[in-house]
Amino acid sequence: MDLGIRGRRALVCASSKGLGLGCASALAEAGVDLVMNARGAEALDAAAEDLRRRHGTRITTVVADIVSEEGRARVLEAAGEVDILVTNAGGPPPGLWSDWSRDDFIRALDANMLTPIALMTALLPGMIERGWGRVVNITSQSVRAPIPALGLSNSARAGLTGYVAGTSRQVAQHGVCINNLLPGIHDTDRAEALDRGVMEAQGIGRDAARAQREATIPTRRYGRPEDFGAACAFLCSEQARFIVGQNLLVDGGGTNLTV
C-alpha cells in the first residue's frame, strides 16, 4: 500500500533503537525524510546511516535529551517545519506504590506527559497552518489496563491520554490527526530490563523469566519493533485521515478487553 506520505518530513524522538527506530524505519521505507533524535551519538548515527543506505531517505540527527528544555529546543530548531511527529521517551522504573516520592512522579510526568505536550504545542501550529499533520504518541498498554508495578508510567501516560483526547478533536478540522500507539511487550531494551526485574524478584534465569512473560501474550512471543513501526506508519498515512484521538493497542492481544 502506498501510504501517500512520500516527501513528508517527520520528527521521531528516541529513535536510535527499539520502538522509536521501528517507527523511523517504517517511515523511511514510506519515503519520509527524518529528523532522528536520541541521547547517544554512536547508536543514533549508526541507525541513521543504515536507514539512508536502505531507503535513500534524507536524515538529520540531533543528539539531545528530549526531556530537558535545552535538548528539546535544539531538536525543535533542527527539525524546523515537520509534517509528522512521533513522541517517545523511556518509561520510568517499576516498583511499589510505597517506593515513589513526589520527585519520582515529577520525573515521570516530565518524560511521559509534559514532554510530548511541549512538542505538540510547538509543532501543531505549523501543521494547522499548512492544513496537514500527523502526531503519534508512543504510550503503553497500561493506559487501557494499568500494570501494578508500573504506577509511575500508568499515571503519567494516562495524563497524556486525557490531553490527547481533547486536543485531537480540536485540531482535526485542520487536517491534523493525533493518535496514541500502545505497545505491549516488544523485544527491546525495556523488555530486557523488565525481564531482569522478574529474574531478581523470583530468582530465576533469563529464559524462564522471558517464557513466563511470553505466556501472558496470546501470540506467545514478544512483538517486533518493525511490526510496531508499521502500525505507526499507517497512523501517519493519508489513509488514516479519519482516525482521530484513538488508542491503538499493539500488544499481541495481551490486554484482555472487550472494547
Side-chain angles (χ1 to χ4, degrees):
M1 178 189 293
D2 182 356
L3 299 181
I5 51 177
R6 183 170 299 278
R8 296 285 187 184
R9 182 173 172 86
L11 166 58
V12 186
C13 301
S15 52
S16 64
K17 54 188 175 180
L19 299 182
L21 179 55
C23 294
S25 181
L27 289 171
E29 186 176 358
V32 176
D33 296 326
L34 300 175
V35 179
M36 296 176 64
N37 153 253
R39 290 178 295 180
E42 185 175 353
L44 181 61
D45 290 342
E49 186 55 35
D50 178 60
L51 294 185
R52 291 188 190 102
R53 178 182 55 81
R54 289 195 288 126
H55 303 297
T57 191
R58 291 180 293 182
I59 301 177
T60 300
T61 59
V62 187
V63 178
D65 180 358
I66 197 68
V67 176
S68 76
E69 189 172 349
E70 183 272 335
R72 193 160 53 247
R74 285 198 286 117
V75 171
L76 288 169
E77 181 179 7
E81 292 186 351
V82 299
D83 308 295
I84 295 167
L85 167 64
V86 180
T87 74
N88 184 29
L96 295 173
W97 62 269
S98 54
D99 296 335
W100 301 315
S101 68
R102 183 179 187 277
D103 288 343
D104 293 321
F105 279 100
I106 294 299
R107 282 190 291 270
L109 290 169
D110 274 341
N112 301 130
M113 185 181 84
L114 298 178
T115 290
I117 289 174
L119 290 167
M120 283 185 273
T121 300
L123 295 174
L124 284 175
M127 295 180 185
I128 291 169
E129 184 178 351
R130 294 186 297 276
W132 197 95
R134 298 288 186 269
V135 178
V136 175
N137 299 293
I138 300 177
T139 63
S140 170
Q141 68 182 125
S142 67
V143 167
R144 298 292 307 279
I147 300 170
L150 300 182
L152 295 174
S153 178
N154 297 341
S155 304
R157 298 189 196 277
L160 175 62
T161 303
Y163 174 85
V164 167
T167 302
S168 62
R169 289 162 173 86
Q170 294 174 316
V171 302
Q173 63 184 306
H174 304 290
V176 179
C177 300
I178 309 176
N179 293 285
N180 303 318
L181 265 184
L182 284 54
I185 305 173
H186 285 72
D187 207 352
T188 63
D189 288 351
R190 173 71 163 170
E192 288 282 349
L194 294 175
D195 286 346
R196 286 195 296 273
V198 174
M199 292 164 59
E200 294 167 4
Q202 299 185 24
I204 58 178
R206 178 185 180 278
D207 290 346
R210 182 167 178 138
Q212 184 180 118
R213 298 219 297 149
E214 284 178 332
T216 68
I217 309 170
T219 60
R220 295 298 188 267
R221 65 173 180 84
Y222 286 7
R224 300 183 304 174
E226 52 265 42
D227 298 332
F228 187 86
C232 177
F234 178 75
L235 287 179
C236 296
S237 71
E238 284 287 355
Q239 290 87 340
R241 66 179 68 87
F242 210 54
I243 302 175
V244 173
Q246 299 305 301
N247 294 281
L248 176 62
L249 280 163
V250 186
D251 69 345
T255 307
N256 193 6
L257 298 170
T258 301
V259 179

